[in-house]
Amino acid sequence: MALRAALRSRSGFSSLLSHWSSCSHGTVRVSPVLVAQQRNNSSVPVVKVDFDQSTGVAVLHMQSPPVNSLSLDFLTEFCIAVEKLEMDKSCRGLILTSSQPRVFSAGLDIMEMYGKSPERCGVFWKAVQEMWLKLYSSNMVTIAAINGSSPAGGCLMSLTCDYRIMADNPRYSIGLNETQLGIVAPFWFKDTLANTVGHRHAEMALELGLLYNPSEALNIGMVDQLVPEDQVLTTAAQTMKKWLAIPDHARQITKSMMRKPTIEKLVSKREADIQNFVTFITKDSIQKSLRMYIEMLKKRKG
Ligand code: CO8
């Protein structure tokens, strides 16, 4: 019953997580797949997790058509799945990838930011923060197997990982293109990018809202390796073996040492960051920019 209530609740994200946490320490374990099915009232969950006990590696497939956009529902299911793996001590590595053709993730679901109430925007933004916090602070080795385009929030998701492998297909692009939509990447997006590519590349990438093709992304260090499309997942699995050869405790403490200041910055400003987002995104001028961008996306398709 508690699970159903959480599933029905519009802001059921944290209650779902706390329900999940309490269950996994007790005798009842609810599969994230089941949760996803119940929430979406569909037989197809938005994330699919294949966990191989023998290697300790899980592959999380994002499978939310058409473009794995990060809606509130998607983020909720995604975070539940990651949380469950994090709590399972036998899971040491996580590979993120997409089941959708040509797209890793289109980033935040633009429709979650357009024409929504301030309350709803706040709940949504908290879920975006939660995804970032879970991934950026994960004790697992995380590898992004980027088998398609990955703009904005999709790029952010991959930047939280320890290593990025991208399909060498010039039609794909990756980057934090927020300024092209007339919006501003928040400080923790900026910090994550700067921690990866350095201040100068981050400054230019963010101001111009640049989307890079795979070779350009490799050149500035936004991704670590390019491979033919059909080898993205196998290369991720091979790379994972190398990372898992390092003793967990030494690697985890090192990871935490590198990332802690960035994580603590968001944690200490979390509420203010939500307020900033809500104030910014609900402005008439920003809503107008978003509307134009949505129309442009639709026209481009036509
Ligand atoms: N959200 C919602 N719907 C989307 C999104 C999205 N991010 N991206 C695409 N769609 C929709 C399209 O509108 C289209 O819908 P429909 O079928 O109804 O017309 C459908 O998905 C398929 O899209 P395409 O035909 O464009 O698919 P392609 O395979 O040709 O291209 C791409 C895939 C490359 C992903 C392309 O769709 C694209 O470039 N999308 C836009 C991506 C983007 O700009 N995302 C930015 C989101 S903002 C963000 O993540 C960070 C915001 C930080 C906020 C800070 C404020 C303070």
Side-chain angles (χ1 to χ4, degrees):
M1 286 299 277
L3 176 64
R4 287 234 179 84
L7 292 170
R8 272 200 302 268
S9 152
R10 195 167 63 105
S11 57
F13 177 72
S14 51
S15 50
L16 266 173
L17 282 187
S18 57
H19 177 80
W20 174 254
S21 306
S22 63
C23 283
S24 48
H25 293 303
T27 50
V28 185
R29 287 178 68 97
V30 182
S31 151
V33 170
L34 175 62
V35 172
Q37 286 171 346
Q38 288 180 324
R39 272 188 69 86
N40 293 294
N41 199 20
S42 125
S43 57
V44 184
V46 294
V47 298
K48 178 166 84 75
V49 177
D50 293 328
F51 178 41
D52 183 343
Q53 290 276 358
S54 67
T55 59
V57 178
V59 181
L60 186 155
H61 304 263
M62 297 182 278
Q63 50 179 29
S64 180
V67 290
N68 289 331
S69 62
L70 309 178
S71 63
L72 181 58
D73 277 353
F74 179 92
L75 289 164
T76 305
E77 312 316 342
F78 182 90
C79 286
I80 289 170
V82 173
E83 171 100 349
K84 187 195 173 208
L85 295 169
E86 196 74 50
M87 288 189 301
D88 183 342
K89 293 298 163 224
S90 65
C91 183
R92 299 173 62 216
L94 171 63
I95 295 171
L96 298 181
T97 196
S98 164
S99 299
Q100 299 310 121
R102 302 182 306 281
V103 182
F104 179 73
S105 164
L108 304 194
D109 193 314
I110 296 169
M111 303 317 291
E112 294 280 13
M113 300 186 282
Y114 181 67
K116 294 286 189 288
S117 70
E119 292 72 26
R120 167 77 188 201
C121 289
V123 172
F124 174 62
W125 197 245
K126 192 166 190 177
V128 180
Q129 293 175 332
E130 193 66 28
M131 174 203 72
W132 182 84
L133 287 167
K134 286 224 168 341
L135 289 176
Y136 208 54
S137 67
S138 174
N139 271 325
M140 298 179 282
V141 174
T142 52
I143 295 181
I146 309 167
N147 50 353
S149 287
S150 195
C155 174
L156 179 78
M157 182 186 264
S158 70
L159 288 172
T160 63
C161 291
D162 295 301
Y163 196 80
R164 281 159 290 286
I165 298 161
M166 188 168 187
D168 193 4
N169 183 335
R171 284 183 310 165
Y172 296 161
S173 61
I174 182 166
L176 295 180
N177 60 323
E178 279 77 0
T179 54
Q180 288 195 33
L181 286 73
I183 56 180
V184 180
F187 69 87
W188 40 288
F189 283 45
K190 178 266 292 174
D191 288 345
T192 314
L193 181 63
N195 290 351
T196 311
V197 302
H199 191 94
R200 177 59 187 144
H201 283 306
E203 182 173 72
M204 211 150 57
L206 288 168
E207 282 193 43
L208 296 174
L210 293 177
L211 285 171
Y212 298 88
N213 69 34
S215 305
E216 294 165 338
L218 182 68
N219 276 340
I220 67 159
M222 186 174 270
V223 299
D224 299 298
Q225 193 175 350
L226 303 183
V227 296
E229 189 145 5
D230 59 355
Q231 290 169 30
V232 173
L233 258 184
T234 48
T235 308
Q238 284 158 10
T239 307
M240 182 62 84
K241 276 190 199 156
K242 278 194 230 161
W243 282 70
L244 292 181
I246 305 296
D248 279 345
H249 69 283
R251 183 191 51 73
Q252 286 164 355
I253 293 168
T254 306
K255 181 172 179 175
S256 165
M257 181 174 67
M258 297 298 293
R259 297 186 172 198
K260 205 171 168 193
T262 309
I263 292 164
E264 282 180 346
K265 198 164 143 192
L266 177 61
V267 170
S268 67
K269 298 181 177 169
R270 201 166 173 182
E271 282 310 313
D273 182 61
I274 293 173
Q275 271 319 308
N276 276 344
F277 172 77
V278 172
T279 307
F280 181 79
I281 212 72
T282 53
K283 277 189 179 139
D284 285 347
S285 57
I286 302 303
Q287 288 291 304
K288 195 174 158 201
S289 291
L290 286 174
R291 193 181 67 235
M292 284 160 60
Y293 190 73
I294 292 165
E295 281 165 9
M296 185 277 288
L297 273 179
K298 296 222 177 285
K299 266 194 206 133
R300 198 182 57 171
K301 195 175 177 182

